[in-house]
mmCIF file of all heavy atoms in Angstrom:
data_model
loop_
_atom_site.group_PDB
_atom_site.id
_atom_site.type_symbol
_atom_site.label_atom_id
_atom_site.label_comp_id
_atom_site.label_asym_id
_atom_site.label_seq_id
_atom_site.Cartn_x
_atom_site.Cartn_y
_atom_site.Cartn_z
ATOM 1 N N LYS K 14 5.998 -3.641 -11.248
ATOM 2 C CA LYS K 14 5.569 -4.966 -10.771
ATOM 3 C C LYS K 14 6.764 -5.907 -10.704
ATOM 4 O O LYS K 14 7.460 -6.130 -11.700
ATOM 5 C CB LYS K 14 4.503 -5.528 -11.705
ATOM 6 C CG LYS K 14 3.903 -6.848 -11.228
ATOM 7 C CD LYS K 14 2.800 -7.296 -12.181
ATOM 8 C CE LYS K 14 2.162 -8.600 -11.701
ATOM 9 N NZ LYS K 14 1.082 -9.050 -12.617
ATOM 10 N N GLY K 15 7.009 -6.447 -9.519
ATOM 11 C CA GLY K 15 8.151 -7.338 -9.332
ATOM 12 C C GLY K 15 9.465 -6.607 -9.180
ATOM 13 O O GLY K 15 10.501 -7.246 -8.952
ATOM 14 N N LYS K 16 9.456 -5.298 -9.336
ATOM 15 C CA LYS K 16 10.651 -4.484 -9.144
ATOM 16 C C LYS K 16 10.476 -3.628 -7.892
ATOM 17 O O LYS K 16 11.138 -3.815 -6.884
ATOM 18 C CB LYS K 16 10.906 -3.607 -10.367
ATOM 19 C CG LYS K 16 11.141 -4.392 -11.651
ATOM 20 C CD LYS K 16 11.258 -3.461 -12.842
ATOM 21 C CE LYS K 16 11.428 -4.244 -14.140
ATOM 22 N NZ LYS K 16 11.494 -3.356 -15.330
ATOM 23 N N HIS K 17 9.562 -2.666 -8.006
ATOM 24 C CA HIS K 17 9.253 -1.829 -6.848
ATOM 25 C C HIS K 17 8.272 -2.526 -5.905
ATOM 26 O O HIS K 17 8.441 -2.512 -4.685
ATOM 27 C CB HIS K 17 8.656 -0.506 -7.323
ATOM 28 C CG HIS K 17 8.527 0.530 -6.254
ATOM 29 N ND1 HIS K 17 8.629 1.881 -6.491
ATOM 30 C CD2 HIS K 17 8.293 0.428 -4.919
ATOM 31 C CE1 HIS K 17 8.476 2.561 -5.363
ATOM 32 N NE2 HIS K 17 8.258 1.701 -4.395
ATOM 33 N N PHE K 18 7.272 -3.192 -6.483
ATOM 34 C CA PHE K 18 6.148 -3.702 -5.693
ATOM 35 C C PHE K 18 6.086 -5.231 -5.660
ATOM 36 O O PHE K 18 6.479 -5.903 -6.623
ATOM 37 C CB PHE K 18 4.829 -3.169 -6.259
ATOM 38 C CG PHE K 18 4.800 -1.682 -6.448
ATOM 39 C CD1 PHE K 18 4.777 -1.133 -7.727
ATOM 40 C CD2 PHE K 18 4.811 -0.821 -5.363
ATOM 41 C CE1 PHE K 18 4.749 0.235 -7.918
ATOM 42 C CE2 PHE K 18 4.785 0.547 -5.539
ATOM 43 C CZ PHE K 18 4.761 1.090 -6.817
ATOM 44 N N ASP K 19 5.561 -5.729 -4.561
ATOM 45 C CA ASP K 19 5.201 -7.148 -4.447
ATOM 46 C C ASP K 19 4.296 -7.479 -5.644
ATOM 47 O O ASP K 19 3.203 -6.910 -5.773
ATOM 48 C CB ASP K 19 4.468 -7.350 -3.119
ATOM 49 C CG ASP K 19 3.952 -8.766 -2.906
ATOM 50 O OD1 ASP K 19 3.730 -9.495 -3.900
ATOM 51 O OD2 ASP K 19 3.730 -9.145 -1.742
ATOM 52 N N PRO K 20 4.711 -8.374 -6.536
ATOM 53 C CA PRO K 20 3.941 -8.585 -7.769
ATOM 54 C C PRO K 20 2.536 -9.137 -7.525
ATOM 55 O O PRO K 20 1.581 -8.741 -8.222
ATOM 56 C CB PRO K 20 4.791 -9.585 -8.555
ATOM 57 C CG PRO K 20 5.667 -10.243 -7.539
ATOM 58 C CD PRO K 20 5.920 -9.203 -6.494
ATOM 59 N N LEU K 21 2.382 -10.038 -6.561
ATOM 60 C CA LEU K 21 1.066 -10.607 -6.281
ATOM 61 C C LEU K 21 0.142 -9.557 -5.680
ATOM 62 O O LEU K 21 -1.029 -9.438 -6.052
ATOM 63 C CB LEU K 21 1.205 -11.804 -5.328
ATOM 64 C CG LEU K 21 -0.060 -12.602 -5.017
ATOM 65 C CD1 LEU K 21 -0.706 -13.106 -6.294
ATOM 66 C CD2 LEU K 21 0.277 -13.781 -4.094
ATOM 67 N N MET K 22 0.689 -8.777 -4.783
ATOM 68 C CA MET K 22 -0.091 -7.728 -4.134
ATOM 69 C C MET K 22 -0.514 -6.661 -5.148
ATOM 70 O O MET K 22 -1.664 -6.195 -5.144
ATOM 71 C CB MET K 22 0.744 -7.107 -3.004
ATOM 72 C CG MET K 22 -0.035 -6.335 -1.975
ATOM 73 S SD MET K 22 1.055 -5.691 -0.660
ATOM 74 C CE MET K 22 1.404 -7.177 0.273
ATOM 75 N N LEU K 23 0.404 -6.293 -6.032
ATOM 76 C CA LEU K 23 0.081 -5.281 -7.034
ATOM 77 C C LEU K 23 -0.976 -5.800 -8.003
ATOM 78 O O LEU K 23 -1.855 -5.041 -8.438
ATOM 79 C CB LEU K 23 1.328 -4.864 -7.807
ATOM 80 C CG LEU K 23 1.088 -3.740 -8.827
ATOM 81 C CD1 LEU K 23 0.732 -2.441 -8.130
ATOM 82 C CD2 LEU K 23 2.293 -3.542 -9.737
ATOM 83 N N GLN K 24 -0.929 -7.102 -8.327
ATOM 84 C CA GLN K 24 -1.919 -7.657 -9.236
ATOM 85 C C GLN K 24 -3.323 -7.568 -8.646
ATOM 86 O O GLN K 24 -4.285 -7.246 -9.341
ATOM 87 C CB GLN K 24 -1.584 -9.113 -9.564
ATOM 88 C CG GLN K 24 -2.459 -9.715 -10.658
ATOM 89 C CD GLN K 24 -2.342 -8.946 -11.959
ATOM 90 O OE1 GLN K 24 -1.246 -8.726 -12.470
ATOM 91 N NE2 GLN K 24 -3.482 -8.498 -12.504
ATOM 92 N N VAL K 25 -3.430 -7.828 -7.346
ATOM 93 C CA VAL K 25 -4.727 -7.700 -6.672
ATOM 94 C C VAL K 25 -5.190 -6.246 -6.712
ATOM 95 O O VAL K 25 -6.372 -5.959 -6.934
ATOM 96 C CB VAL K 25 -4.639 -8.213 -5.211
ATOM 97 C CG1 VAL K 25 -5.935 -7.908 -4.454
ATOM 98 C CG2 VAL K 25 -4.351 -9.701 -5.185
ATOM 99 N N PHE K 26 -4.251 -5.332 -6.505
ATOM 100 C CA PHE K 26 -4.571 -3.906 -6.596
ATOM 101 C C PHE K 26 -5.126 -3.571 -7.980
ATOM 102 O O PHE K 26 -6.155 -2.889 -8.111
ATOM 103 C CB PHE K 26 -3.308 -3.087 -6.299
ATOM 104 C CG PHE K 26 -3.486 -1.595 -6.381
ATOM 105 C CD1 PHE K 26 -3.860 -0.870 -5.264
ATOM 106 C CD2 PHE K 26 -3.268 -0.917 -7.575
ATOM 107 C CE1 PHE K 26 -4.029 0.513 -5.330
ATOM 108 C CE2 PHE K 26 -3.429 0.458 -7.652
ATOM 109 C CZ PHE K 26 -3.816 1.172 -6.523
ATOM 110 N N MET K 27 -4.463 -4.063 -9.019
ATOM 111 C CA MET K 27 -4.896 -3.768 -10.386
ATOM 112 C C MET K 27 -6.225 -4.449 -10.717
ATOM 113 O O MET K 27 -7.072 -3.871 -11.409
ATOM 114 C CB MET K 27 -3.821 -4.223 -11.378
ATOM 115 C CG MET K 27 -2.546 -3.413 -11.303
ATOM 116 S SD MET K 27 -2.853 -1.636 -11.587
ATOM 117 C CE MET K 27 -1.237 -0.953 -11.237
ATOM 118 N N ASP K 28 -6.418 -5.654 -10.222
ATOM 119 C CA ASP K 28 -7.665 -6.372 -10.488
ATOM 120 C C ASP K 28 -8.872 -5.685 -9.847
ATOM 121 O O ASP K 28 -10.017 -5.932 -10.244
ATOM 122 C CB ASP K 28 -7.570 -7.812 -9.965
ATOM 123 C CG ASP K 28 -6.620 -8.668 -10.791
ATOM 124 O OD1 ASP K 28 -6.278 -8.261 -11.910
ATOM 125 O OD2 ASP K 28 -6.206 -9.742 -10.298
ATOM 126 N N ASN K 29 -8.585 -4.862 -8.848
ATOM 127 C CA ASN K 29 -9.660 -4.176 -8.123
ATOM 128 C C ASN K 29 -9.461 -2.653 -8.169
ATOM 129 O O ASN K 29 -9.849 -1.947 -7.236
ATOM 130 C CB ASN K 29 -9.694 -4.649 -6.668
ATOM 131 C CG ASN K 29 -10.017 -6.118 -6.534
ATOM 132 O OD1 ASN K 29 -11.181 -6.518 -6.482
ATOM 133 N ND2 ASN K 29 -8.977 -6.947 -6.463
ATOM 134 N N GLU K 30 -8.866 -2.171 -9.248
ATOM 135 C CA GLU K 30 -8.473 -0.757 -9.315
ATOM 136 C C GLU K 30 -9.633 0.207 -9.139
ATOM 137 O O GLU K 30 -9.459 1.311 -8.622
ATOM 138 C CB GLU K 30 -7.751 -0.479 -10.627
ATOM 139 C CG GLU K 30 -8.570 -0.756 -11.872
ATOM 140 C CD GLU K 30 -7.771 -0.475 -13.136
ATOM 141 O OE1 GLU K 30 -7.279 0.666 -13.277
ATOM 142 O OE2 GLU K 30 -7.626 -1.375 -13.966
ATOM 143 N N GLN K 31 -10.835 -0.203 -9.529
ATOM 144 C CA GLN K 31 -11.985 0.678 -9.404
ATOM 145 C C GLN K 31 -12.241 1.049 -7.945
ATOM 146 O O GLN K 31 -12.629 2.179 -7.641
ATOM 147 C CB GLN K 31 -13.234 0.026 -10.007
ATOM 148 C CG GLN K 31 -14.479 0.904 -9.992
ATOM 149 C CD GLN K 31 -14.325 2.192 -10.772
ATOM 150 O OE1 GLN K 31 -13.559 2.265 -11.738
ATOM 151 N NE2 GLN K 31 -15.032 3.232 -10.370
ATOM 152 N N ARG K 32 -12.008 0.098 -7.040
ATOM 153 C CA ARG K 32 -12.213 0.367 -5.604
ATOM 154 C C ARG K 32 -11.280 1.474 -5.130
ATOM 155 O O ARG K 32 -11.671 2.337 -4.341
ATOM 156 C CB ARG K 32 -11.974 -0.893 -4.783
ATOM 157 C CG ARG K 32 -12.899 -2.055 -5.115
ATOM 158 C CD ARG K 32 -12.765 -3.124 -4.059
ATOM 159 N NE ARG K 32 -13.512 -4.326 -4.415
ATOM 160 C CZ ARG K 32 -13.810 -5.302 -3.565
ATOM 161 N NH1 ARG K 32 -13.423 -5.204 -2.295
ATOM 162 N NH2 ARG K 32 -14.473 -6.365 -3.952
ATOM 163 N N PHE K 33 -10.046 1.455 -5.603
ATOM 164 C CA PHE K 33 -9.065 2.440 -5.150
ATOM 165 C C PHE K 33 -9.304 3.793 -5.824
ATOM 166 O O PHE K 33 -9.079 4.847 -5.203
ATOM 167 C CB PHE K 33 -7.660 1.903 -5.415
ATOM 168 C CG PHE K 33 -7.398 0.623 -4.672
ATOM 169 C CD1 PHE K 33 -7.576 -0.605 -5.299
ATOM 170 C CD2 PHE K 33 -7.045 0.641 -3.336
ATOM 171 C CE1 PHE K 33 -7.379 -1.786 -4.613
ATOM 172 C CE2 PHE K 33 -6.850 -0.533 -2.636
ATOM 173 C CZ PHE K 33 -7.023 -1.759 -3.272
ATOM 174 N N PHE K 34 -9.772 3.750 -7.050
ATOM 175 C CA PHE K 34 -10.148 4.993 -7.721
ATOM 176 C C PHE K 34 -11.289 5.667 -6.969
ATOM 177 O O PHE K 34 -11.301 6.892 -6.787
ATOM 178 C CB PHE K 34 -10.562 4.699 -9.166
ATOM 179 C CG PHE K 34 -11.053 5.901 -9.905
ATOM 180 C CD1 PHE K 34 -10.184 6.884 -10.340
ATOM 181 C CD2 PHE K 34 -12.418 6.076 -10.156
ATOM 182 C CE1 PHE K 34 -10.647 8.012 -11.023
ATOM 183 C CE2 PHE K 34 -12.889 7.191 -10.833
ATOM 184 C CZ PHE K 34 -11.994 8.165 -11.266
ATOM 185 N N GLU K 35 -12.257 4.861 -6.507
ATOM 186 C CA GLU K 35 -13.394 5.417 -5.769
ATOM 187 C C GLU K 35 -12.960 6.016 -4.435
ATOM 188 O O GLU K 35 -13.487 7.053 -4.001
ATOM 189 C CB GLU K 35 -14.443 4.325 -5.541
ATOM 190 C CG GLU K 35 -15.165 3.918 -6.827
ATOM 191 C CD GLU K 35 -16.044 2.698 -6.640
ATOM 192 O OE1 GLU K 35 -16.066 2.138 -5.512
ATOM 193 O OE2 GLU K 35 -16.703 2.283 -7.612
ATOM 194 N N ILE K 36 -11.997 5.380 -3.766
ATOM 195 C CA ILE K 36 -11.459 5.958 -2.520
ATOM 196 C C ILE K 36 -10.795 7.302 -2.815
ATOM 197 O O ILE K 36 -10.986 8.287 -2.093
ATOM 198 C CB ILE K 36 -10.457 4.984 -1.866
ATOM 199 C CG1 ILE K 36 -11.179 3.746 -1.324
ATOM 200 C CG2 ILE K 36 -9.687 5.684 -0.733
ATOM 201 C CD1 ILE K 36 -10.255 2.647 -0.831
ATOM 202 N N ALA K 37 -10.013 7.342 -3.885
ATOM 203 C CA ALA K 37 -9.333 8.585 -4.261
ATOM 204 C C ALA K 37 -10.331 9.702 -4.547
ATOM 205 O O ALA K 37 -10.124 10.859 -4.149
ATOM 206 C CB ALA K 37 -8.453 8.334 -5.479
ATOM 207 N N GLU K 38 -11.433 9.350 -5.209
ATOM 208 C CA GLU K 38 -12.454 10.346 -5.513
ATOM 209 C C GLU K 38 -13.182 10.805 -4.251
ATOM 210 O O GLU K 38 -13.492 11.991 -4.085
ATOM 211 C CB GLU K 38 -13.465 9.756 -6.509
ATOM 212 C CG GLU K 38 -12.944 9.683 -7.928
ATOM 213 C CD GLU K 38 -12.711 11.069 -8.511
ATOM 214 O OE1 GLU K 38 -13.680 11.835 -8.644
ATOM 215 O OE2 GLU K 38 -11.536 11.383 -8.806
ATOM 216 N N LYS K 39 -13.460 9.857 -3.372
ATOM 217 C CA LYS K 39 -14.205 10.178 -2.149
ATOM 218 C C LYS K 39 -13.435 11.154 -1.262
ATOM 219 O O LYS K 39 -14.011 12.054 -0.642
ATOM 220 C CB LYS K 39 -14.515 8.898 -1.381
ATOM 221 C CG LYS K 39 -15.338 9.125 -0.121
ATOM 222 C CD LYS K 39 -15.678 7.795 0.551
ATOM 223 C CE LYS K 39 -16.512 8.026 1.818
ATOM 224 N NZ LYS K 39 -16.879 6.725 2.464
ATOM 225 N N TYR K 40 -12.115 10.973 -1.199
ATOM 226 C CA TYR K 40 -11.303 11.798 -0.282
ATOM 227 C C TYR K 40 -10.348 12.720 -1.052
ATOM 228 O O TYR K 40 -9.269 13.070 -0.556
ATOM 229 C CB TYR K 40 -10.498 10.890 0.649
ATOM 230 C CG TYR K 40 -11.354 10.004 1.519
ATOM 231 C CD1 TYR K 40 -11.482 8.643 1.246
ATOM 232 C CD2 TYR K 40 -12.053 10.520 2.604
ATOM 233 C CE1 TYR K 40 -12.267 7.818 2.039
ATOM 234 C CE2 TYR K 40 -12.842 9.704 3.402
ATOM 235 C CZ TYR K 40 -12.946 8.350 3.107
ATOM 236 O OH TYR K 40 -13.730 7.537 3.890
ATOM 237 N N LYS K 41 -10.740 13.136 -2.251
ATOM 238 C CA LYS K 41 -9.852 13.972 -3.039
ATOM 239 C C LYS K 41 -9.650 15.341 -2.391
ATOM 240 O O LYS K 41 -10.520 15.835 -1.655
ATOM 241 C CB LYS K 41 -10.394 14.114 -4.462
ATOM 242 C CG LYS K 41 -11.706 14.852 -4.583
ATOM 243 C CD LYS K 41 -12.145 14.870 -6.050
ATOM 244 C CE LYS K 41 -13.500 15.561 -6.206
ATOM 245 N NZ LYS K 41 -13.939 15.559 -7.615
#
């Protein structure tokens, strides 16, 4: 965070991590 990734964008990703986990599961 703030090194590799846009810190604000990554925070939104983390705040909504369940959504991305569900995508990963759906298309695993």
Side-chain angles (χ1 to χ4, degrees):
K14 185 177 181 180
K16 299 175 183 178
H17 191 149
F18 309 111
D19 176 336
L21 185 56
M22 198 178 285
L23 183 67
Q24 188 59 53
V25 172
F26 179 90
M27 292 302 173
D28 289 344
N29 297 273
E30 60 181 304
Q31 183 61 29
R32 299 192 187 195
F33 299 96
F34 176 74
E35 289 171 358
I36 291 172
E38 284 294 297
K39 182 177 180 179
Y40 299 105
K41 65 182 178 181

